[in-house]
Amino acid sequence: MSVDRFDLSGRRVIVTGGARGLGLAMGMGMARAGAEVWALDILEERFEEARAEVADAGVAVEFVKCDVSRSEQVAELAARSDDRTPLVLLNNAGIGERTPMMDLSYEEWSRVMDVTSYGVFACARAFGAVMLKQGRGSIVNIASVHGFLGPDSSLYAFGGDGPSSPAYCAAKGSVISLTRSLAAGWAAQGVRVNSISPGMFITDQTAGAFDEAGKAAVLRRTPMARFGRPDDLVGAAIFLASDASSFVTGHNLVVDGGWSIW
C-alpha cells in the first residue's frame, strides 16, 4: 500500500475542541498531512496562543468559535462547509467532571452530556448531512477507554471509595455506541464512522487529576509504562480520516499503551 493513501490533500477536516491539547495536536497533524483544517472551539481566548503554536509548526489552521452543544451554531458552520470539498469530521470536544456520584447534580450531569455526547451527535448530524450529499466522508469520534472500562477512582487525586466521573463515562460510552450505529446506517452511502479511545493522557485538562502516587500507579498498570502524549493520537486520527482505512468503519481504535489488555 502506498503512503499516498494517508494523504489528506484536497480535504477539509473539521476538528472540534481544536484550540488546545489533543484537539490542537490532531488538527496540526491533519494539516501536515495536507488537509485544510477548521478548528472549532468555544475557547476564543485561547485562539491567539493556538495560532502562535500553529505558526511555529509551519502549518495552517483556521480557528472558529463554536459551541458544539448549540445545534444552530453547528448547523451554520456545516452549511458554510457545503461547497463540494470532501469532508472529515474529528469530533474531539468534550468535558468531564470530578464530582462523586452521590454529590453529582443534575445540572452538572447535563452539562457533561450536552458537550461530550450531544455535541458529537449534533456535529455528526450536521456535517454528516453534507457528507451524505457528497456520497463520501469520514467521521472520527474521540471516545475514551472509560467508555468501556470502569475507572479506578483510587488513582485520581479527586477520587474516593465511590464511582468516579460517572457522567464522563456515560457520555464516552454513548460516543462508542453512536459510532457503531452511524457506521451501520451510513456505510452503504459512502460515509465511514469510527472512534478512537485514548487511555491515560496528560494534557492541560488532566494535569491536576493525578498526584504523584496516582501517576506511579498508572505507570505500573500500563504495559508501555508511560502516559500518552498528544502526538500519539495523530497517526491514529490520520489513518481513520484517510483512504488508508477505506475498508474500516464502526471500529473503536484503542490508543492506551496497553492499559486495557489486562
Side-chain angles (χ1 to χ4, degrees), residues 41-48 51 65:
D41 209 302
I42 197 172
L43 301 175
E44 192 172 18
E45 68 278 6
R46 181 70 176 75
F47 286 3
E48 184 175 351
R51 289 189 184 104
K65 186 177 181 180

Side-chain angles (χ1 to χ4, degrees), residues 183-237:
W186 289 349
Q189 298 173 72
V191 178
R192 297 184 298 108
V193 189
N194 294 285
S195 59
I196 299 174
S197 282
M200 300 301 177
F201 279 67
I202 295 293
T203 67
D204 291 344
Q205 293 147 290
T206 62
F210 304 96
D211 57 22
E212 292 307 310
K215 288 179 182 179
V218 169
L219 297 183
R220 288 194 300 271
R221 173 71 170 70
T222 305
M224 293 187 71
R226 69 171 175 84
F227 282 88
R229 297 182 288 262
D231 279 351
D232 290 323
L233 292 183
V234 172

Side-chain angles (χ1 to χ4, degrees), residues 79-259:
R80 177 181 155 191
S81 74
D82 189 7
D83 61 1
R84 299 187 180 180
T85 302
L87 286 181
V88 174
L89 171 63
L90 179 55
N91 262 321
N92 169 72
I95 60 173
E97 90 290 354
R98 300 177 180 179
T99 306
M101 176 65 173
M102 301 311 295
D103 297 323
L104 183 64
S105 69
Y106 175 80
E107 290 74 21
E108 188 174 15
W109 168 277
S110 296
R111 179 58 182 159
V112 173
M113 296 299 289
D114 281 349
V115 176
T116 309
S117 181
Y118 177 78
V120 170
F121 159 78
C123 291
R125 185 166 76 167
F127 290 100
V130 179
M131 295 179 191
L132 291 169
K133 183 189 299 186
Q134 295 176 347
R136 63 176 297 180
S138 175
I139 298 175
V140 183
N141 298 321
I142 302 302
S144 169
V145 293
H146 290 150
F148 61 90
L149 292 176
D152 181 353
S153 60
S154 68
L155 298 176
Y156 297 93
F158 57 88
D161 296 329
S164 179
S165 301
Y168 178 81
C169 294
K172 290 300 188 180
S174 77
V175 170
I176 296 171
S177 293
L178 178 62
T179 295
R180 292 170 177 154
S181 174
L182 297 181
W186 289 349
Q189 298 173 72
V191 178
R192 297 184 298 108
V193 189
N194 294 285
S195 59
I196 299 174
S197 282
M200 300 301 177
F201 279 67
I202 295 293
T203 67
D204 291 344
Q205 293 147 290
T206 62
F210 304 96
D211 57 22
E212 292 307 310
K215 288 179 182 179
V218 169
L219 297 183
R220 288 194 300 271
R221 173 71 170 70
T222 305
M224 293 187 71
R226 69 171 175 84
F227 282 88
R229 297 182 288 262
D231 279 351
D232 290 323
L233 292 183
V234 172
I238 291 173
F239 168 66
L240 292 175
S242 71
D243 290 341
S245 60
S246 60
F247 199 51
V248 179
T249 196
H251 181 64
N252 180 46
L253 177 56
V254 180
V255 182
D256 69 350
W259 175 268

